[in-house]
Structure formats: structure tokens, C-alpha cells
Amino acid sequence: MKIKSTLLIGAACIGIIACETNTYTEQDRLTATANLNAFVDSVETSLKTTPTHDWSAIDSRFDSLESRADKVYKDLKMEITEIELIETRYETAIENAKRIEENFQKTAEMHLQNIEKWWETTSKEPTATRAKTIANIESTTRESLDWLEKNFNNLSEDSKEKYNKIVDELGKS
């Protein structure tokens, strides 16, 4: 009797170990991959439309989705090649976007310097002459003002302050 009980308990233990199932299913893998892919798609779209971003929030969300996908793939003992391809696409998009953001900031600074230089020269003139000059603002300075106004929401805080100060001064003349 003791031998039968031991054999039954042993068989039950082997059965439990043999029947061990994965925590995740194929549907979980498809969902995790789709979520990661959709996030990268949305990041790529956003990066094309807006030159400045909250990189820490974007990276944090990507890392969270990637971590989830990694867990699912490991649990299912599947190659993570698909995740690696998505990660490469993400990293390429981020590199390109950071380059675009850097160029945007350089362009903003160039426009601000153009306006500041013009304002320094103009503000030294007598008030009557200055009023004429402001009314007949040169085209490159007008382009800079227009560009900065159009892109105001994407400017750095420092650039926004400089722009507002110049616009305020122009309004006082």
C-alpha cells in the first residue's frame, strides 16, 4: 500500500510538472507585438508633425511595451527577432527626430538673432524714424517674426521669452 501511495504521489508530481503551461498565450504575443508596433507607428507620425517632444515620456512608454513583449516572447520560448526589428525602427525614428529637433532649435535661434540684430539697430534711431522703420520692416526680419509666431508653441522657453520681449518692444514703439 505504501508503495502504491508513493507511486501515485510521484506520478501526480510528474504529471503536474509535465503539464506546466506557459503564463502567456499566442494571442498575448500577437497583442504585445501589435501594441509595440502601433506605438512606434504613432511615434513616427508624431515626429513628422511636431519638431519638439518629451523624450523621457516617449522612451518610458516604449520601454514598458518592449518589456512586456520580451516577457511574453521569453515565456513562449520564441525568438525576439520581430521585437528587435521594431526596436531598430524606433531607434532610427528617434535619432532622426532628435536631429530634426536640433535643426529646429538652430533655425529658431537664427530667426531670433536676426530680429535682435535688427532691433538693436532700429532702437538706436530717433522715435519718428524708428516708427517708419518698424512700419517698413525688412522682409527677412518680417519672415523671422512670422516664422517664430507660427512655431511659437514649439520654441524653447528661453526663445519664447526673447520673442515676447521683442514683440512687446515693437508694440511700444
Side-chain angles (χ1 to χ4, degrees), residues 13 66 85 97 139:
C13 288
E66 182 186 36
L85 291 172
S139 64

Side-chain angles (χ1 to χ4, degrees), residues 58-148:
I58 292 171
D59 286 339
S60 176
R61 179 68 177 142
F62 179 81
D63 291 344
S64 170
L65 290 168
E66 182 186 36
S67 175
R68 165 90 170 136
D70 282 342
K71 286 179 188 174
V72 172
Y73 273 71
K74 282 182 182 176
D75 186 65
L76 296 173
K77 296 177 177 68
M78 297 191 72
E79 292 292 320
I80 60 168
T81 308
E82 191 171 7
I83 295 173
E84 290 171 342
L85 291 172
I86 295 170
E87 181 180 15
T88 300
R89 201 173 108 222
Y90 172 77
E91 289 171 352
T92 301
I94 295 299
E95 286 174 22
N96 291 336
K98 286 184 178 180
R99 217 174 1 267
I100 289 168
E101 182 177 27
E102 185 179 318
N103 288 336
F104 175 84
Q105 296 301 343
K106 285 180 183 177
T107 301
E109 191 58 35
M110 177 203 64
H111 285 296
L112 281 168
Q113 287 174 356
N114 181 27
I115 293 169
E116 286 172 334
K117 184 177 177 183
W118 174 84
W119 182 246
E120 283 176 24
T121 306
T122 304
S123 64
K124 293 176 185 173
E125 297 175 5
T127 306
T129 310
R130 185 173 41 210
K132 273 190 222 170
T133 306
I134 292 169
N136 301 316
I137 195 169
E138 62 186 51
S139 64
T140 56
T141 304
R142 171 54 55 202
E143 286 174 24
S144 290
L145 279 170
D146 292 344
W147 187 93
L148 289 165

Side-chain angles (χ1 to χ4, degrees), residues 2-16:
K2 214 174 187 184
I3 293 176
K4 282 186 176 180
S5 296
T6 304
L7 287 175
L8 284 174
I9 292 172
C13 288
I14 290 172
I16 290 172

